[in-house]
Amino acid sequence: SLVVFFLPDPVAALRRYRALLRAGGRLGLTTFPPQPEGTWAAIGRRLESYLPMSASRPDQGPLAGPEQLAATLRQVGFADVTTATEASDTIFRDREQWWSWAWSHGQRAAFERVPPGELDAFKAELFGMLAPDLRDDGSVALRQYVTYTVASV
């Protein structure tokens, strides 16, 4: 469910999902709406130059937000589209734990494209960007918004 925006043609994928479902079937998707301005949006923009695909921006295009996603789903034949956007908080012990976590998911695609001789400087730059979100105990708070969407056939 959290991969559709990485596909080369997400609208074609949604059409295919629709074709695979029987009457009464449901599709559930998890996507990222545009994130509020702040550290996490800035880090996302910084990573963009290293991402290999135009689909690397889930907050743009036919899946850009709850309204665009619902309209796209209706366009390809889904009905009863419902969406809910919620905040999801993750607390990292420190910036090093955040760095390890960031290598464990889709951001890794960007990190792997940083030239090896530039990786330490890139890491230091990102750690600097995290400074406003450091808590007194050195932990880092990540608040990310996620949209949950269900549609039926």
Side-chain angles (χ1 to χ4, degrees), residues 69-87:
L69 177 55
T72 300
L73 287 166
R74 288 184 192 99
Q75 173 191 339
V76 300
F78 284 95
D80 303 321
V81 179
T82 60
T83 64
T85 299
E86 298 180 8

Side-chain angles (χ1 to χ4, degrees), residues 19-75:
L20 292 171
L21 291 170
R22 296 185 230 187
R26 294 188 308 165
L27 174 69
L29 298 172
T30 308
T31 56
F32 297 111
Q35 302 294 307
E37 266 312 307
T39 301
W40 306 109
I43 287 175
R45 284 191 302 275
R46 181 63 182 99
L47 296 178
E48 280 179 25
S49 63
Y50 294 106
L51 291 173
M53 60 188 91
S54 61
S56 63
R57 288 297 309 263
D59 60 343
Q60 296 178 359
L63 314 179
E67 297 81 18
Q68 294 92 329
L69 177 55
T72 300
L73 287 166
R74 288 184 192 99
Q75 173 191 339

Side-chain angles (χ1 to χ4, degrees), residues 97-112:
Q97 186 184 28
W98 170 82
W99 180 252
S100 294
W101 170 81
W103 278 89
S104 74
H105 59 79
Q107 287 180 341
R108 181 185 190 105
F111 292 170
E112 288 178 337

Side-chain angles (χ1 to χ4, degrees), residues 12 17 54 73 92 146 153:
Y17 294 159
S54 61
L73 287 166
F92 299 96
V146 180
V153 176

